[in-house]
Structures are given as C-alpha cells and as structure tokens.
Amino acid sequence: MNNKEIKILLIDDDEDDYVVTRDLLSEAKNLKHTLHWISSYEEAVGKICENMYDVYLLDYRLGAHTGLDILQKASCRGCRTPFILLTGEGDHETDLKAMKAGAADYLVKGEISAPLLERSIRYAIERKRSEERIYHMAFYDSLTSLPNRILFQDRLRLTIANADRHRHMSAVLFLDIDNFKRINDTFGHFMGDKLLKNIAERLSAIMRKCDSVTRNVPDLFARLGGDEFTVLLNVINEAADAARVAQRIIDAVSSPFKLDGYEIFITSSIGIAVFPEDGEDVDSLLKNADAAMYNAKDRGKNNYQYYKQYMNAAAFERLTLENELRKALERDELLLYYQPQINANIGAITGMEALIRWRQSDGKIILPSKFIALAEETGIIIPISEWVLKTACKQNKAWQEEGFKTIPVSVNMSSLQFQQKEFIKILSGILHESGLRPQDLILELTESTIMQKTETAFALLHELAEMGVRITIDDFGTGYSSLSYLKRFPIHAIKIDRSFVRDITTDPDDAAIVRAIISMAHSLRLKIIAEGVETEAQLEFLSKQGCDVIQGYLFSHPLPPEEISKLLQAEKQGGGISIFEFLKKEALNNG
Ligand code: C2E
Ligand code: MG
Ligand code: MG
C-alpha cells in the first residue's frame, strides 16, 4: 500500500477511548495518519457522507443510539467509506449484525493492539478500493467516466419511487448528437471518441454550475452508449423546467469544440419524458424519451421535443419497416430507376445514375430517403448494395447488347459497403458475371466515405482505378473536405450538391460557391456534374460557368428501365435533334 496519509474519524462518546485509540495509532509507526474525533450521534450523522475521511472507527454504544443506526443511515445515503466497529466485548451476534449492516471489520476494545488496528484499517481501505474499482467498471462508462445505463436505470428507479411517494414530477432527457456518424467517418473513431469525452466534460460542467434559485440542474448525466446520453431530473415543478435544462444542454453542445487544431461544430437533439404523464416505470420513460428524441431529429435536429402519445406509433412503424426491409430482397421488391445525365454542351445523354426504389406488396413505391439510413443502421445495406451493383451492371450490359450507344452507369455506394474487406473481389465477380467493362461503371461516393480511414480508402480507390472503374464524389460541398485534398485520390468527377444548385439564381453566396467549385475542379482536371437542376435559369448559369454534365428534373426524373429504353431509342432515331428538345417536348405533352 502506498504511504499516503490516511484520514481517520473516530466516532465515540467516551474520551478515554479516544485517548487509547490515539495512542495505539501513534504506536503504529508505518501508518501515516490524521485522527479526528467526534462524540455524538447527531454530529456523526452530519459528517458521515461528507467524503472527507478514508475510514471511520465507530463505537458500538453511542448514548441512546448504536453504531448500527449509523451504519444504516450511511448505507441509505450511499456512503462509500469503510466503517470499523469497536465494541465493549466480543459477541458473535453483534459481530454478525455489524457485518450485515456493512461494517468492514469488528474489533473488541481492550483486545486491540497497535498492529491489529493498523492491519484492520489497511485491509478495510484496500478492500474498499478494490470494491470501488469493480463498482466503477460495472456502473460507469470507461470512455467518459459518466454513469452508464445500468446506474442510470437504477437511479431512475429510485427517482420514480421518490416522486411517487412525494407526488412530484421528474423528467428524463434523451440526448443524441446529430450526424455523429459523419464525425467518425470524416475524422476517424479516435477523434470521435475524443469528441464524446469533450461533450461529457461540458455536460458535467453544466451539472456542477448549481443554479440554486430555479434548481433547474440535472441530477445525473449518463452515457447509454455511442453518442447517446441521458439526463435525470429528480424533481421538477412543471414540464417547462425540463425544457430549460434541455435548451441549456443544446446551447452548450452547439458551441464549437476545438480538437487537434480542428474546430468542430455539432448539434444535438433531445427528447423529454415526464413522470408520471409520459410513463410510470423506468422502461417506458426511457423508451418514450427516446421516441421524442427521434421526433426532434425529424423536425430538423438541434432542438428538443416533449414526448407525445402518437410517437410510439412512429417507433412501431420504424420497426415494421425494418422487418419488411429484411424481406424486401427475397420478395424481389427492390427496383432500380435510372436518371439520365446530359452533356451540357451537346445535349446528349452521357450517363445515368441508378437510384433504388422499393415497391411494397401493396404497390406503394418507397424512396431511398425513407429506408437507406435504416438499411445502413441495420447492416441490411450490404446485401442490398450487392443487388444494386449486380442489377445496374446487368442492365447496362443489356442496353449495350440491344445496340444502344455505350454510356456508363453510376451507382451510389454506402460507406459500409466501401469498408467491406472483400469489396474488390465482390465487384470483380459482378463485373465478370455481367460481362460489363469496368470503364462502363462509375461509383458515387460521398466525401465522408472517402475521408473515413483515409489510408484504406486511398488503397481501395487506387485498386479501383487500376481496374478501370471510375469514381465520382457525390453531394460535394456538404462534407468537411477540401477539393485539393480530395485530389490526392484518383477521382474522375465531382457532383455539386443539390442544395447549392437550388439557389444559384437567387442566393449570391451559393452562386459564388458553385462558381468556385467549378473553376477549381477544372483546374484540377476533374469533371463537374450538377445535380438537382430544375429550371432553365439554373441550366443557363451552370452552362455559362462551364459545368460539364447536368442531371435533374428539368430533363428527366429517375425512370424505370423500360422508359429509359424508349429515351435511348428516341435519341438513336432522332439523329440531329438534341435530347434537350426531345425531353422538353415530352414534358410539354405530359402537361
Ligand atoms: P443522390 O445520390 O444524391 O441522388 C440524387 C437524388 O436527387 C435522387 O433522389 C434523385 O431522384 C433526386 N433528384 C434528381 N434530380 C432532382 C431534381 O431536379 N430536384 C430534386 N429535388 N431532386 C432531384 P432519390 O432517388 O430519392 O435518392 C436519394 C438518395 O438515396 C441518393 O442521393 C443516394 O444517396 C441514396 N441512394 C439512392 N439509391 C441508392 C443505392 O442504390 N444505394 C445507396 N447506398 N444509396 C442510394
Ligand atoms: Mg448519387
Ligand atoms: Mg447527390
């Protein structure tokens, strides 16, 4: 044991006993210590939970009370300092009672020697320390040192019992960091972990800043796992108290974090469930706060929402969707639509993007925005992605064999798929089986997919380039990467995100950004595709800036393969007239 000074508190109503104990302790030469003495039960009750001492020596007889009363009080209050009980005479029954009440040891006055006392104190402290370590591992999160799910649930149970007895309200807040995956993807898990630690520290600081007037201070912060945190408010006077705490947390999280020279901006979404209205037990309060958090996400993130009854219906829907999605592949419910990409200068179709659709048994078509994220969360994206690649390659080969001109197909990649070890092997297999040449396939990756584990991505992209498969950066401008950095990777083209294209004719900032992206991409000899082009004015702006390829509703929505066949046929027969004219005529005919 190290030789740190041990702080001992003697609780004994007899001054003679104090003198004896003091002398014994001073004989114990190896025990560096300080000894304080208090003599009354009342004083002891006030002191026991202050956490100022390493060990208590406790007299069994304390006036009208016994040492056992103190032990009970201490254990109720969660006191974690060891007690050694001192009694007048050896008695097996008292010994047993003392141990049951949580005493670390039991010594008979008059039979105590200096070495015995020293050993008892050392053992009590050492045992407490190892208990403490185990306790910490079991109830605290190792990354952030915040309480974990088990401890949170336990405290919530106590809170509910108390609130029930005293007829007051309590609240649970469920917090989730918005787009946290993107941080991990962009900067790696090491940074992600660092950020979580920083978030935990910031949240704990809120807790320490005790606002004694309104008492709107969280009573417990816990990390449930991942980027999910929970907050417990033992007593609130009105539901709005919980909202005030939620807003304080949201504000705290949203000021930038400085990590390794980066300034990282994040936001959070919080769901609130109030006892007793929103749930009367641990599970329903947590579940409902979670549902409310999802609602906050749906409402644009960076906000808090109270739980409302209908939200469980939404959670149920998500679960149903997941189950249905698992079966979608085997039931053959997935489809690929294709959206033509048009050369901005000559008006010809130069490519097409494969976009997945899900036709459910009732005929309803579900868009990827409704299920891709879920597929990624659940891993179902892996078999789905493989199906998409296979189908797109086969279809493209079929069009070539029907005698249409050869144009490449672009396929969206999930980052999960990109992380698959066997990805290159799977892809080669698919190309081989379909007979499609690698140069007829383009993979669309987002910035974050590439920035994640940059070393692996680097190697993988080079392997793809060697095979002859091309890479386009999708949704460019929404991530954290710079174009010059991306240029280190073998990339063929970049796609300007729809959100910039949308406002180029009205928002001068977006116009400037798009102009800068185009000129920079050209200087790096990258092709530029604009997605989401819906108006003539946008087309004109983009053409003027030298954008190479245009994709959007202005020319065509994503279409089923039969419709694409018609388009290709029309273009083939049209000879001279550009596909622009053809599509515009079609659009007019269709009203
Ligand atoms: P994305 O790759 O950025 O695809 C472009 C999205 O913009 C498509 O939505 C397309 O229908 C839509 N779009 C095209 N032109 C316009 C326009 O002029 N105006 C507007 N408002 N929208 C336009 P979609 O098909 O709903 O796909 C959404 C996203 O889902 C895709 O974004 C892509 O990230 C993902 N996705 C689609 N198919 C797959 C797939 O097979 N695998 C994976 N992993 N993701 C996919
Ligand atoms: Mg795409
Ligand atoms: Mg896109």
Side-chain angles (χ1 to χ4, degrees):
M1 190 190 273
N2 62 29
N3 226 14
K4 224 185 92 211
E5 188 174 76
I6 294 173
K7 297 199 192 73
I8 306 168
L9 180 69
L10 174 69
I11 305 167
D12 198 320
D13 54 2
D14 185 339
E15 182 160 10
D16 290 344
D17 283 345
Y18 163 62
V19 173
V20 170
T21 311
R22 185 193 63 196
D23 293 348
L24 279 172
L25 281 170
S26 62
E27 268 178 58
K29 287 276 177 309
N30 294 320
L31 196 71
K32 251 175 78 186
H33 70 277
T34 52
L35 175 70
H36 291 159
W37 169 49
I38 55 176
S39 58
S40 77
Y41 171 82
E42 287 71 23
E43 219 181 328
V45 169
K47 278 256 186 279
I48 45 176
C49 285
E50 278 181 1
N51 258 333
M52 307 236 310
Y53 296 93
D54 299 304
V55 63
Y56 299 126
L57 302 178
L58 175 61
D59 190 8
Y60 189 80
R61 297 256 153 250
L62 277 174
H65 295 275
T66 72
L68 291 182
D69 297 336
I70 297 227
L71 280 175
Q72 257 145 21
K73 275 247 149 52
S75 106
C76 280
R77 296 187 186 177
C79 170
R80 313 195 51 76
T81 308
F83 283 88
I84 297 171
L85 210 64
L86 310 172
T87 87
E89 74 196 72
D91 158 5
H92 183 60
E93 205 165 304
T94 328
D95 182 358
L96 215 64
K97 273 195 212 150
M99 293 304 175
K100 270 194 186 147
D105 205 352
Y106 170 87
L107 301 175
V108 180
K109 286 183 186 175
E111 292 175 12
I112 306 175
S113 65
L116 179 66
L117 184 58
E118 176 179 346
R119 204 174 60 211
S120 176
I121 290 176
R122 285 198 192 285
Y123 277 179
I125 293 175
E126 196 47 41
R127 192 156 354 112
K128 210 65 196 182
R129 274 196 196 134
S130 40
E131 261 174 43
E132 209 71 4
R133 268 194 297 273
I134 293 168
Y135 178 84
H136 204 270
M137 279 192 289
F139 296 114
Y140 289 83
D141 166 49
S142 60
L143 178 69
T144 61
S145 290
L146 288 179
N148 65 12
R149 179 191 295 270
I150 299 170
L151 185 55
F152 186 84
Q153 286 174 328
D154 191 57
R155 291 287 167 80
L156 179 54
R157 202 167 295 120
L158 289 177
T159 298
I160 291 173
N162 254 321
D164 197 30
R165 193 170 320 124
H166 299 113
R167 308 241 152 255
H168 62 236
M169 294 196 282
S170 304
V172 171
L173 275 56
F174 202 113
L175 174 143
D176 189 283
I177 306 301
D178 298 328
N179 304 320
F180 187 74
K181 193 172 166 300
R182 185 133 107 199
I183 301 286
N184 268 337
D185 290 354
T186 310
F187 298 105
H189 285 270
F190 182 70
M191 278 282 266
D193 283 357
K194 239 186 191 174
L195 182 60
L196 287 174
K197 262 196 230 170
N198 276 265
I199 294 169
E201 274 160 25
R202 218 179 255 183
L203 295 188
S204 305
I206 296 186
M207 212 160 139
R208 285 191 294 270
K209 248 189 244 141
C210 193
D211 174 351
S212 58
V213 184
T214 57
R215 251 207 52 84
N216 285 326
V217 175
D219 294 291
L220 188 74
F221 266 121
R223 176 173 178 236
L224 292 201
D227 59 339
E228 290 178 347
F229 297 86
T230 45
V231 176
L232 180 59
L233 303 177
N234 285 336
V235 184
I236 56 171
N237 297 318
E238 46 172 358
D241 288 345
R244 281 181 208 114
V245 176
Q247 191 58 53
R248 255 165 80 188
I249 294 172
I250 287 173
D251 292 344
V253 170
S254 69
S255 62
F257 287 85
K258 290 204 179 72
L259 290 185
D260 292 357
Y262 290 96
E263 212 172 33
I264 298 179
F265 291 83
I266 53 166
T267 56
S268 55
S269 300
I270 296 180
I272 302 172
V274 174
F275 173 87
E277 287 102 278
D278 302 337
E280 299 192 2
D281 56 72
V282 170
D283 287 347
S284 44
L285 281 171
L286 267 173
K287 191 182 89 201
N288 293 344
D290 187 21
M293 182 276 290
Y294 267 103
N295 187 245
K297 297 251 183 210
D298 285 346
R299 290 176 177 233
K301 304 179 174 141
N302 198 21
N303 74 103
Y304 64 81
Q305 292 296 325
Y306 288 105
Y307 169 74
K308 295 189 192 61
Q309 214 92 52
Y310 65 79
M311 287 171 190
N312 272 330
F316 179 73
E317 231 170 68
R318 223 179 3 255
L319 195 67
T320 318
L321 193 69
E322 182 182 330
N323 289 333
E324 291 295 303
L325 188 55
R326 287 186 192 282
K327 296 180 205 139
L329 257 178
E330 49 191 84
R331 287 187 188 154
D332 217 14
E333 293 177 348
L334 298 179
L335 306 170
L336 281 189
Y337 277 27
Y338 297 88
Q339 188 175 33
Q341 299 169 327
I342 315 288
N343 179 311
N345 302 315
I346 55 172
I349 300 178
T350 58
M352 53 182 76
E353 178 175 9
L355 292 160
I356 194 166
R357 299 291 180 263
W358 175 14
R359 187 166 54 209
Q360 291 186 315
S361 47
D362 57 4
K364 207 165 81 188
I365 299 263
I366 315 243
L367 292 175
S369 57
K370 289 266 182 269
F371 67 88
I372 288 290
L374 184 68
E376 283 182 343
E377 272 168 42
T378 52
I380 312 175
I381 192 71
I382 296 287
I384 289 183
S385 302
E386 215 175 306
W387 175 88
V388 169
L389 267 175
K390 245 183 226 165
T391 310
C393 290
K394 265 203 272 184
Q395 179 63 66
N396 195 277
K397 182 70 183 173
W399 277 321
Q400 290 181 24
E401 283 176 348
E402 280 171 50
F404 296 128
K405 72 175 180 192
T406 302
I407 48 171
V409 61
S410 295
V411 174
N412 291 288
M413 291 266 300
S414 147
S415 68
L416 220 57
Q417 183 186 14
F418 195 65
Q419 283 168 42
Q420 255 185 311
K421 283 214 180 58
E422 336 71 291
F423 177 67
I424 294 280
K425 223 175 93 195
I426 293 172
L427 180 66
S428 314
I430 290 173
L431 285 171
H432 181 78
E433 204 182 304
S434 63
L436 192 74
R437 302 175 311 165
Q439 60 263 44
D440 296 335
L441 178 66
I442 296 175
L443 298 178
E444 291 195 2
L445 298 170
T446 60
E447 294 161 70
S448 58
T449 301
I450 291 188
M451 298 298 283
Q452 142 188 40
K453 302 203 192 121
T454 41
E455 289 314 306
T456 340
F458 195 75
L460 190 51
L461 290 182
H462 277 282
E463 256 183 284
L464 288 170
E466 255 161 54
M467 282 169 71
V469 172
R470 283 173 287 173
I471 304 292
T472 293
I473 304 296
D474 203 354
D475 306 340
F476 185 80
T478 57
Y480 294 93
S481 50
S482 74
L483 208 48
S484 47
Y485 183 79
L486 279 177
K487 187 52 195 155
R488 294 175 32 204
F489 299 93
I491 286 160
H492 157 73
I494 67 171
K495 252 190 178 182
I496 307 173
D497 189 63
R498 209 163 66 211
S499 58
F500 297 109
V501 172
R502 192 183 53 218
D503 298 329
I504 35 176
T505 54
T506 50
D507 184 337
D509 288 342
D510 282 351
I513 291 171
V514 169
R515 228 179 269 129
I517 295 178
I518 293 178
S519 82
M520 186 138 171
H522 279 162
S523 73
L524 295 170
R525 281 192 288 284
L526 293 169
K527 269 205 163 358
I528 277 280
I529 303 164
E531 65 179 359
V533 180
E534 295 181 352
T535 67
E536 296 272 355
Q538 289 165 344
L539 172 64
E540 201 186 308
F541 177 95
L542 290 161
S543 305
K544 229 193 232 151
Q545 297 307 319
C547 179
D548 306 285
V549 178
I550 305 284
Q551 183 182 346
Y553 296 167
L554 178 63
F555 304 107
S556 171
H557 280 257
L559 300 171
E562 314 82 77
E563 297 293 316
I564 293 288
S565 298
K566 282 187 205 157
L567 260 186
L568 292 172
Q569 185 65 33
E571 195 186 32
K572 195 172 167 186
Q573 284 168 345
I577 57 157
S578 89
I579 197 76
F580 281 178
E581 311 302 327
F582 174 80
L583 286 167
K584 255 191 247 156
K585 250 186 266 157
E586 283 281 287
L588 280 178
N589 289 344
N590 295 338

